[in-house]
Amino acid sequence: MPIMPRSIAAALAALALLSASAAAQQGGAQGPTNPRMLPDVSAVGDLVADLSPKGSTQPDLSRFAVREVEVALQAVVDPYFRGDVFLGFSDAEGASIEQAFLTTTALPGGLQARLGRFLMPFGKQNTTHRHDLHTVEYPYIIQRFFGSEGLKGTGATLSDVFAPFGFYQEFMVSVTDRAGERAEGLTPAAPANRNLDGLGYSARLRNYWDISEATNIEVSGSAITSLREQPLALPAGAASGDVNAVNVRQSVFAGDVTFRWRPLQQGLYKSLILQAEVMHQANDIPSVVPPLGRPGPGASAPPLAYAGPTSGYTGGYVFGRWQLSRRLYAGARYDALQDPEAEGARFTAGSALLEWYPSEFSKLIAQYERTSPSGGPALDRILLQASFAIGPHKPHPF
Amino acid sequence: MLARLFATAALLVGIAAGDAGAQLKVVTSTSDLYDIARSVGGDRIKASHIGEGFQDPHFIEAKPSFVIQLRNADVWAFVGLDLEIGWMPLLLDGARNQKIMMGGPGYLDVSKVVPVIDVPRGTVDRSQGDVHPLGNPHYWLDPENGRRIARLFRDKFSELDPKNAATYTANEQAFEDRLNAAEKGWQADLAAIKGKPVVAWHTSWRYFAEYTGMDIVAYMEPKPGVPPSPSQLMAVVAAVKRTGAKVIIMEPFYDRKLADVVARETGVQVLILPPSVGGTPAAADYVKLMQYDIAQVAKAVK
């Protein structure tokens, strides 16, 4: 996915030209506002500072970082599709295609298909861009199961909205090339997606009720399954490029509930969100592991030992946010999980934060967090985030 | 899957055929459009609205239950001029209803039939606050625009449901007759308001001011959508003292504490005025809304 970092400047220059052209065509008094049908061009900057007392807790140990700049190009393609492209630029990954998808606009029966790369419709917070979260980072259960940037997929998703029982329901099914990022350095005997049963398959059912004019609740469930590369224990002297992984089925099941309160008349000043999400990761154990050797036929060395996960992991979080004034919010989150990065050892974290919106287009967060890994010392973290959006930024999903 | 798609399509065709004589399903973004649509459509339409009259129409939550409302709508009528830009795209995307998507027969941007004021000239950017690049969207607070909206609904409903066109025409005329009669009744109030200085919280009263002749000498917001700052409060206090304004007009969804600060400093009256139908029980329909607002302002400035 990452492309050459030096392409960043060229890409930004092209986008600047596009933006300038879009601006230049404004001003026709009575004609269409976009006669050349140029796409909406917008950008989001996501800046993070880590002032933790015992040193930075960021992967690159930076105290101040531009975590990501995301540039979006969005437009209707034709009478049948709209197109959305999100390009991410970061010091860590260079430039990458964060999302790029076609969405159908003309399927019958309320069906909608999406083709391309997108945030997987799995769980609640995973469907929100990281810079749009109410916390600086994703909940730990998402970070540990899917990575710090959440779960994305490349493939297709089909969804339908219906209300046979008088309330809103949406069902989404997806098939993707794989579920989650490929683990670096793992080489299985064959790609996980060689057979169709190795692809990523997911489903999500959303259920939404208005409890009253001011309150509502959403209860949803998700599941995803695919083959994932899991490590094998290599004997000493194994060569680079040898088979060192085996494809094993991994499935994740999730349930989430979100309660919202926002009085209509005082909605500018008062609101409350309470949210909880639980996930369980189930890991199969391979009955047969491949022998040591290079991928392909003819390998005849003795089997290796399986070094991947041998049990399931469960975790979740609860989150709440209370609006203090028109621009200021206070929030807290508690995470608890069996950490897959520590063989299931208990990991907990509690955080409190203040979130300030100078406007709809800028946001500042100050967050204190205390993480408590089982058997390890607690760690205090102080994180600051500033994010901003320029251009015609689309509204955030409800 | 293909079989299911065909079955769904066949079901929809069947439902559409069976619905040929049914009411038009009309969803509007605001309660004002809803009330005018209902006046014109009568019992030939089934109308509903998204925003309430006491709610800030800029900041409505795009709740999934609204998606269900829009999913089966024949007409989606909205104020336009980017008033609903913060939530409408989500609802339309979610509803997946081609009839009410841009270019569809039921996509009704009501702003197309009104003369728009406050269209910015030159460069526009967000340093100017929540400025509307296409012009001020609060046009329904001028009764002449109320008539234009009614005529637009008459034409749209007649286009989609031609066999009831005569009913829509008669209903629209009845609406105008009722508005005309009410208008005659509030002429004395208009005379009392004309030329009187007032303070407004937001630019939502500009069309109302054009109609009534009241003179907005200051805004509580330093820029549209930006909450009053201490320096702005001082500027408003100075403006009230300089012009003799007797009233601060504000919508029910803003916090009146800061208006009360100005009131304490100057003795000005804080008048909570509904900008939309249903914003207060007395503003139960469009004509009553105009009647109530004009009467309240006249009483305050006398």
Side-chain angles (χ1 to χ4, degrees), chain B residues 169-189:
Chain B
T169 300
N171 288 348
E172 193 280 326
Q173 190 57 54
F175 171 79
E176 287 205 38
D177 292 345
R178 193 157 58 92
L179 185 55
N180 293 342
E183 199 166 26
K184 283 177 188 159
W186 67 54
Q187 289 305 311
D189 284 341

Side-chain angles (χ1 to χ4, degrees), chain A residues 253-276:
Chain A
F253 306 93
D256 59 86
V257 57
T258 301
F259 171 84
R260 295 182 188 83
W261 171 78
R262 189 183 180 201
L264 297 188
Q265 186 163 332
Q266 291 298 307
L268 290 178
Y269 305 94
K270 295 178 182 175
S271 66
L272 170 71
I273 298 174
L274 296 174
Q275 190 170 74

Side-chain angles (χ1 to χ4, degrees), chain A residues 58-81:
Chain A
Q58 301 303 305
D60 62 356
L61 301 181
S62 62
R63 287 291 200 175
F64 296 92
V66 178
R67 186 164 62 172
E68 187 178 54
V69 171
E70 184 182 271
V71 175
L73 304 167
Q74 299 174 282
V76 173
V77 176
D78 56 29
Y80 314 106
F81 297 103

Side-chain angles (χ1 to χ4, degrees), chain B residues 260-276:
Chain B
D260 286 338
V261 170
V262 177
R264 279 196 297 274
E265 286 291 316
T266 62
V268 73
Q269 178 189 347
V270 177
L271 180 60
I272 310 291
L273 213 53
S276 286

